Amino acid sequence: MISVGKNREQIREETDVIKIISYIVMTLFGLMCLFPFYYIFVVSISAPQFVREGQIILWPKGFSLQAYKVTFNHARFYSSFRISVIRTLIGTALGVTLSSSLAYAVSRKYLRGRKFFMVFIVFTMLFNGGIIPTYLVVRYTGLIDSIWALIIPNMINTFNVIVLVNFFKGIPDEIEESAKIDGANDLIIFYKLMIPVAMPAIATITLFISVYHWNSLMDGILYINTPSKKPLQVYLNDIVAAGQTDDLFGDASARWMPTLSLKTATIFASTLPILMVYPFLQKYFVKGIMVGSVKG
């Protein structure tokens, strides 16, 4: 009995040590992930003279919002920001609607040819036409230099559909059967019953789609030619690639401002909106992704 008690005590102590080590490792990993955002913010609010001299490492020196003032006074920042907001809102709404509708239909056992449709969906996840065929399709459909070129080609993502299909499969069939007995059709069942039940998974793919549209870069470079129609990420790419302050803003009005200050201020101001959205969806994220990937 004494040995058994000692063994249990040793196991408990070893478990506590493993937990402590895990917490330390995860904390360090989290700090490593947060440090780039912290450094960008610190540089953006530091006084320009200290940034120019390269004295900013861990803590801000001085305090100045001049970099944000110059950034917000740039007309192209607002036009790019507006395009990204419109693209994210419309793209997320259409993506969630189409993905959830397709997933619900494919998840129903009574749908004829559902296995064919599922194989067809998974096939698009493994194989695609590539950049050039996609560009030709967008071009010959008349979407070039239009905001719809950023939305329509990316309305449905295969991974999101699979997550929702597995989630809908996990919903008991009795819910749908009882609704049909009461006279509800498929649309009423989908919008009144299935959507509220599947809200964790829908919130998860909403986060996926919105982050994708906000951060997408290549489609803006490929399909948009007019500078005022380019999304925010293309504007950020031009900012980071620019070598001098005059190249960033096209005049000498901000020549006195260090280029690094302007770049960090623009990057932080562009990243902040999507970071503010995440806390509202985070509580659904883990539940939605786990249930959607395991059930079915």
Side-chain angles (χ1 to χ4, degrees), residues 227-245:
S228 60
K229 296 181 180 180
K230 292 184 178 181
L232 190 59
Q233 298 306 318
V234 179
Y235 172 74
L236 285 180
N237 180 69
D238 295 341
I239 291 290
V240 174
Q244 298 178 356
T245 303

Side-chain angles (χ1 to χ4, degrees), residues 197-226:
V197 174
M199 190 54 66
I202 292 176
T204 300
I205 70 163
T206 299
L207 180 63
F208 285 162
I209 296 174
S210 60
V211 170
Y212 167 78
H213 279 290
W214 188 266
N215 291 334
S216 183
L217 170 65
M218 286 304 300
D219 50 4
I221 295 177
L222 292 173
Y223 307 140
I224 306 300
N225 300 322
T226 305

Side-chain angles (χ1 to χ4, degrees), residues 18 27 34 42 66 106 198:
I18 293 175
T27 301
L34 290 175
V42 166
Q66 290 299 319
V106 175

